[in-house]
Amino acid sequence: MFSKACEYGIRAMIYIAQRSRQGERVGLKDIAQGIDSPEAFMAKIMQALSRQGLVQSVKGPHGGFYMDTQASKITLAQVVRAIDGDHLFTGCGLGLTECNEKKPCPIHDEFKLIRNKIRSLLETTQVGEFNELLEKGVLHLKRI
Amino acid sequence: MFSKACEYGIRAMIYIAQRSRQGERVGLKDIAQGIDSPEAFMAKIMQALSRQGLVQSVKGPHGGFYMDTQASKITLAQVVRAIDGDHLFTGCGLGLTECNEKKPCPIHDEFKLIRNKIRSLLETTQVGEFNELLEKGVLHLKRI
DNA sequence: AATAAAAAAGACAAAAATATCCTTTATTCA
DNA sequence: TGAATAAAGGATATTTTTGTCTTTTTTATT
Ligand code: FES
Ligand code: FES
């Protein structure tokens, strides 16, 4: 469904949203440990998200990544697009070079419904909406 | 969603179902051309499908791949499982090592619905059910 | 029996995804 | 100002996926 980079990216964004209330910063090490991802790879993903403005960063002592309040309204769809592009939202399920209404592949109609459900899920879900449940330990971002 | 190998595999199975009525054989070259896939790579995928009994094959002159009538009832889910395994049907959407009802990731509930829709689509779709529409040129297995 | 055709199998190659390491830049604090 | 800290960036390494090439095996035909 998503690339590894994208899975880490989504989990990281949700983690940062929860851990960086009123501008506190979350360090790379903290993120990698918090979502159980390889730290150096996570760095690359955070750089991409930061360049695209989905997350803020500050260098130096007490630096790290953070989000302001409205940034926690960023949707999972935005994160996915930033990392995996929008192939998932627009591409053909059977790998034809493009999804084409006029020249549909065998599963086009059904697949489009599913694709739209996925998009709808991701577009209506914000990285900041799990803060309380994560804090309560109801939801999890890693297994260990 | 699916790996390239799986996309080719599904398209090939649908192609063979349509092209191999009453035991006629479809050659590798024919398949690769018919679904626009790289021939040598397609060969590997066909070998896997053949080994797993999802398609029959005969060597030698006038050999090739074919399906008997009940084989055209093979579902897309069977093809996907044969090539990509069942991670798509059971795995966690955010890449946690397992999907766990008791320790759900943030999108677990919604993702499970989508996952089940995908599985349902694939389990209720048979490789042989597109024969007529493909013949009429309503459906397509390649773009060129 | 010899030849040709076609899939099976094995070895190899290229590309992409995943992951790591090292250096540079910006920032804070003593 | 100097040292320490942490992200940014660049180069490299590993693994997986995708793809190709060659040889072998099986079968049909002459
Ligand atoms: S053409 Fe395949 S999903 Fe639209
Ligand atoms: S735990 Fe992530 S989908 Fe179930």
Side-chain angles (χ1 to χ4, degrees), chain A residues 116-125, chain B residues 107 110-111 114:
Chain A
N116 286 342
K117 282 229 185 311
I118 294 171
R119 189 169 44 153
S120 162
L121 159 58
L122 296 174
E123 278 176 352
T124 60
T125 305
Chain B
I107 66 169
E110 301 273 359
F111 185 75
I114 286 170

Side-chain angles (χ1 to χ4, degrees), chain B residues 27-28 44 47 50-51 57 60:
Chain B
L28 187 59
K44 291 301 175 194
Q47 284 168 30
S50 174
R51 269 196 302 273
S57 76

Side-chain angles (χ1 to χ4, degrees), chain A residues 91-94 96 98-100 103-105 107-108 111 115, chain B residues 143:
Chain A
C92 169
L94 294 189
L96 301 192
E98 49 156 20
C99 171
N100 185 329
K103 294 190 165 196
C105 77
I107 65 169
H108 171 82
F111 185 75
R115 221 174 44 185
Chain B
R143 279 284 167 250

Side-chain angles (χ1 to χ4, degrees), chain A residues 27-28 44 47 51 57 60-61:
Chain A
L28 187 57
K44 292 300 176 194
Q47 283 168 30
R51 270 195 302 272
S57 76

Side-chain angles (χ1 to χ4, degrees), chain A residues 143, chain B residues 91-94 96 98-100 103-105 107-108 111-112 115:
Chain A
R143 280 283 167 251
Chain B
C92 168
L94 293 188
L96 301 192
E98 49 156 20
C99 171
N100 186 330
K103 293 190 167 198
C105 76
I107 66 169
H108 172 82
F111 185 75
K112 206 172 69 167
R115 221 174 43 186

Side-chain angles (χ1 to χ4, degrees), chain B residues 8-80:
Chain B
Y8 293 147
I10 295 172
R11 276 151 59 192
M13 288 294 283
I14 293 174
Y15 184 77
I16 296 165
Q18 188 230 339
R19 293 292 299 272
S20 87
R21 309 299 184 66
Q22 42 271 35
E24 293 152 46
R25 283 100 184 235
V26 193
L28 187 59
K29 211 161 297 181
D30 187 348
I31 296 170
Q33 200 275 326
I35 70 169
D36 185 33
S37 65
E39 185 176 329
F41 189 36
M42 194 72 247
K44 291 301 175 194
I45 299 162
M46 292 313 300
Q47 284 168 30
L49 292 172
S50 174
R51 269 196 302 273
Q52 304 194 48
L54 293 188
V55 73
Q56 307 314 120
S57 76
V58 177
K59 290 184 182 181
H62 305 116
F65 299 89
Y66 68 96
M67 270 171 220
D68 41 39
T69 331
Q70 72 265 37
S72 76
K73 297 208 177 64
I74 286 170
T75 66
L76 300 195
Q78 289 178 270
V79 180
V80 171

